[in-house]
Structure formats: C-alpha cells, structure tokens
Amino acid sequence: MSEETPSRDPHLQVICQRYPDYPAQAAAVVRTAKLIARRIHDRANATLSEHGLTHPEYNLLMMLYGSDDYRSTPSLLAQAAAEKSANITRLTDQLCRKGLIARSPSLSDRRKIEISLTPAGVGLLEESLPSTCSDLQELASHISVQDLQQLVQLQQRFLAALDLHPSAARPA
Amino acid sequence: MSEETPSRDPHLQVICQRYPDYPAQAAAVVRTAKLIARRIHDRANATLSEHGLTHPEYNLLMMLYGSDDYRSTPSLLAQAAAEKSANITRLTDQLCRKGLIARSPSLSDRRKIEISLTPAGVGLLEESLPSTCSDLQELASHISVQDLQQLVQLQQRFLAALDLHPSAARPA
DNA sequence: TATGAATAGTTTATTAATGTACTAAATAAA
DNA sequence: TTTATTTAGTACATTAATAAACTATTCATA
C-alpha cells in the first residue's frame, strides 16, 4: 500500500501494516458506501413508518412514480431498486395487500406482469414526500450541488468498473 | 428541482417533473451507494464462499485483523462494521463455531466481552486475502488514486451530514 | 451512599432477504 | 419446424437481519 490511508478509519492503517498489498482506497469506498446505505435505510425506515411503509417498499413505489404511466415490471423494478426477483415478489405482495399497487398481465408478453401504482399508492407517496424530501434535502444542504454531482459521478465510475469486471469466482 | 438531473437514471427525471422539490442529487448519491454496497456484497460472497466465509463474517474478521492484538469488543465491531448488536451476536456465534474467533471476559469491565482472532482465523484471512484484494484492486485500477481519495472524502462529507442531522422522526 | 440512567451483550420472535427449483413463455439455434 | 436455451415471476426452504425485552454491570446524580 503505497498511497496514504484514508484518515477516518484507524483499522485500515493497521491492516495495511499487516498486509501491504491491501487496496485501502477501494476498501474505503466500499465501506463508506455501505455506511451511507445503512444509515439512510435506518433513517428512512423511521420516517416512513409514520406512513406505514418500509424503505424497500418506498423505493419500489418511487421507481413506479418515476415510470411512464406509473407502470413497470418486476424485472425492471428488481434492477432499478437493486433487489433480487424473489424479494420483489415479497415486496409487491405486501404493496398489493396494502392496495398501493396493482398487478395485471402484460398484453405483449405472457410471461410478464405489469405493476402499476394505484391512486391510493400515488396519494400515499405524495403524502410522504414532504417529510422524506425535506429530510434528504437537509442532508444535501451541507454539500454544494457541484460536489454532490461530482460524488455521484465518481460513484458511477466505480460502479462502471464492476460491470467491466465480472466476478472472478463462479457465476452466480 | 433546479439543478440538472443525474444522467444515468431516467426515473429521476420523471420524478422531478412530477414532484419538483425532489432532491435529486442527494437521492442519486443514496441510490448509487446502495447499488455499490449490494454489488460488492454479492461479488464478495461469491469469492469468499470458496473459503467458507460470508461477506459480513469477512468484514468482522477484517475489523479484528485491523485492531491491536487482533482484539475488540462486540460494540466496537458493531460500529465499525455497521451492524446491529443482535447481528454481531449471530455473526460472532458463527465465527466461534468455525473456530476463527474466541470470546473471553473483559478484565476491565464485566459487562464486556473481548473477541479476538484465533490463529486459524488469521490463517484463513491471510489465505483469502490474495483473491479478495486482487479482485478489489482490479476495480480500483480504473480510477486514479486521487479520484478514489476524492470519492471517499466526498462520501465522508455526506456521512458527516447524517451525524449533524439526527432523524426528524422519533429516535429508534 | 442510594437511586436512577445508561451501557453491554444475549435471547427471542419476527420480518427481511436469498438461493434454488419450478412452470410457462419467448427466443435462439439446428 | 423442432429442439435447445433463456427469460419472467413465483413458491419454498433457508439464512440474514432486526426490534424489543432482558439481566448484569457501570456510570451519573442526588
């Protein structure tokens, strides 16, 4: 490890002393991404519980909100929300039970299901958005728009590297 | 929403048309962090399964590897690895059963447990590190060290904002 | 010194998430 | 046209993760 260690994590310094080839910078990116995701998840769950939603449910609803005609398919949702297909089934079952989404057969491909927001789903989302957005906006207010944009851009470059390099182990 | 939408996600553009106050940049940060964390998790699980480890187990082992005397406590591990304490218990139970860590009572505080890597734990870690590190290094090779450092720094600024703003909802 | 509050870690029940197997349908190849 | 392969989504069993409750211990306050 020839470059400087990220300063916020004393563990990394010790690791690099013990294993000099440890890619500390990349490990720090990964670790911090996980911290962000976890912290936001907990925080969002607390806020959304007042509306009877969990964070993963909310994410699916938002993906539908951001789709043409509030409409999508389980596979597209799985991809967009970084969830496995079996979990999409579980989550959409829950949202169906809550009357927030509806399932219908696709007219163009009989394997496919179409999922759309119900009016109640749109209503609940728009009811929850003031608190959700102000919470997130509060966080964002400490960082300039340019810095946020740069952060996203750098994140996306890291993600792009994952696409270039399929896992060295057996395919899942 | 007055600034440009991150370009990689068409959902965000539609969301902002429907709800103009949506903080798109911050949402993009959050979403991309989750994508990174998920992708790395899946990728690491595939690599580590050859060594009989899961990604969360590996993370704990690495935290111990980066601690003085390979030694820590469940609470410190929970914090460092972004896991809840009940999950630390579950994970450390598993690692104990595998003989990779050992528990002992703390001499300074009877509430506390000390957890340390066993020689088998150190051995397994160092056996897994070549493939783990080369995998991660491969990803990192597409981004300059300066860019990685900047990415981490920006991530950490986002995290710092979370500390400044406790959740608006009831404390968990 | 006694009492109240906070901390540490585990247990337990519950929910969340995943891997695998499956059926039906679509697509690709022969 | 037939066969092989891939895709879509769900069922099911299993593992992963969590909230709440708990006991013991430590720390803070009166």
Side-chain angles (χ1 to χ4, degrees):
Chain A
M1 188 200 70
S2 55
E3 69 271 358
E4 272 192 30
T5 316
S7 58
R8 285 288 285 265
D9 187 358
H11 288 114
L12 278 181
Q13 299 192 30
V14 183
I15 288 172
C16 290
Q17 283 157 21
R18 291 188 165 138
Y19 197 85
D21 288 340
Y22 191 68
Q25 299 293 346
V29 169
V30 168
R31 174 176 142 74
T32 317
K34 181 183 167 188
L35 281 174
I36 291 172
R38 278 285 170 93
R39 293 282 295 271
I40 292 285
H41 177 74
D42 289 345
R43 187 183 179 95
N45 272 331
T47 304
L48 291 163
S49 69
E50 293 169 10
H51 302 281
L53 290 175
T54 65
H55 189 220
E57 286 171 349
Y58 164 83
N59 281 334
L60 284 201
L61 293 178
M62 284 306 284
M63 288 299 133
L64 288 168
Y65 193 69
S67 305
D68 293 339
D69 290 331
Y70 303 134
R71 189 181 298 267
S72 188
T73 65
S75 301
L76 288 175
L77 288 178
Q79 205 170 38
E83 297 286 352
K84 301 286 166 67
S85 70
N87 211 27
I88 293 292
T89 302
R90 185 182 68 86
L91 291 170
T92 50
D93 282 351
Q94 284 178 342
L95 291 170
C96 267
R97 275 195 297 271
K98 291 174 183 177
L100 303 179
I101 65 169
R103 282 187 174 104
S104 53
S106 165
L107 299 181
S108 54
D109 182 337
R110 286 192 292 186
R111 296 171 302 179
K112 291 192 178 181
I113 300 273
E114 295 211 334
I115 291 180
S116 52
L117 279 179
T118 62
V122 177
L124 186 64
L125 251 197
E126 287 177 346
E127 182 193 304
S128 69
L129 280 170
S131 58
T132 324
C133 291
S134 68
D135 194 42
L136 201 45
Q137 191 59 55
E138 222 172 23
L139 299 182
S141 66
H142 290 270
I143 313 184
S144 73
V145 171
Q146 291 93 318
D147 280 348
L148 281 177
Q149 283 175 337
Q150 183 161 27
L151 174 50
V152 174
Q153 204 221 24
L154 288 167
Q155 284 177 311
Q156 282 171 347
R157 282 175 54 199
F158 195 83
L159 264 184
L162 282 163
D163 290 323
L164 285 179
H165 289 277
S167 175
R170 303 158 282 199
Chain B
M1 190 200 70
S2 54
E3 69 271 359
E4 272 192 29
T5 316
S7 59
R8 286 286 286 265
D9 187 0
H11 287 114
L12 277 182
Q13 300 191 31
V14 182
I15 288 172
C16 291
Q17 282 157 23
R18 291 185 166 140
Y19 196 86
D21 287 340
Y22 192 67
Q25 299 294 346
V29 170
V30 168
R31 173 176 143 73
T32 317
K34 180 181 166 188
L35 281 173
I36 291 171
R38 277 287 171 90
R39 294 280 298 271
I40 291 285
H41 177 75
D42 289 344
R43 189 184 178 94
N45 273 333
T47 304
L48 290 164
S49 69
E50 294 168 10
H51 301 281
L53 289 177
T54 65
H55 189 221
E57 286 171 349
Y58 164 84
N59 281 334
L60 284 201
L61 293 178
M62 283 307 283
M63 288 299 133
L64 288 167
Y65 193 67
S67 305
D68 293 339
D69 289 333
Y70 303 134
R71 190 181 296 267
S72 188
T73 65
S75 301
L76 288 176
L77 288 177
Q79 206 172 37
E83 298 285 352
K84 301 284 166 69
S85 71
N87 211 29
I88 294 293
T89 300
R90 184 181 67 84
L91 291 169
T92 50
D93 282 351
Q94 284 179 343
L95 291 170
C96 268
R97 276 197 296 271
K98 292 173 181 178
L100 304 178
I101 65 169
R103 282 188 174 102
S104 52
S106 166
L107 300 181
S108 55
D109 183 335
R110 287 192 295 185
R111 296 171 302 179
K112 289 191 178 183
I113 300 273
E114 293 213 337
I115 290 180
S116 53
L117 280 179
T118 62
V122 177
L124 186 65
L125 251 196
E126 286 178 345
E127 182 194 304
S128 69
L129 279 171
S131 59
T132 323
C133 291
S134 69
D135 195 42
L136 201 45
Q137 190 58 57
E138 224 173 21
L139 299 182
S141 66
H142 291 269
I143 312 184
S144 72
V145 171
Q146 292 93 319
D147 280 347
L148 281 177
Q149 283 175 339
Q150 182 157 30
L151 174 49
V152 174
Q153 204 221 22
L154 289 168
Q155 283 176 312
Q156 282 172 348
R157 280 174 57 198
F158 195 83
L159 265 183
L162 283 163
D163 290 324
L164 285 177
H165 289 278
S167 175
R170 302 158 282 199

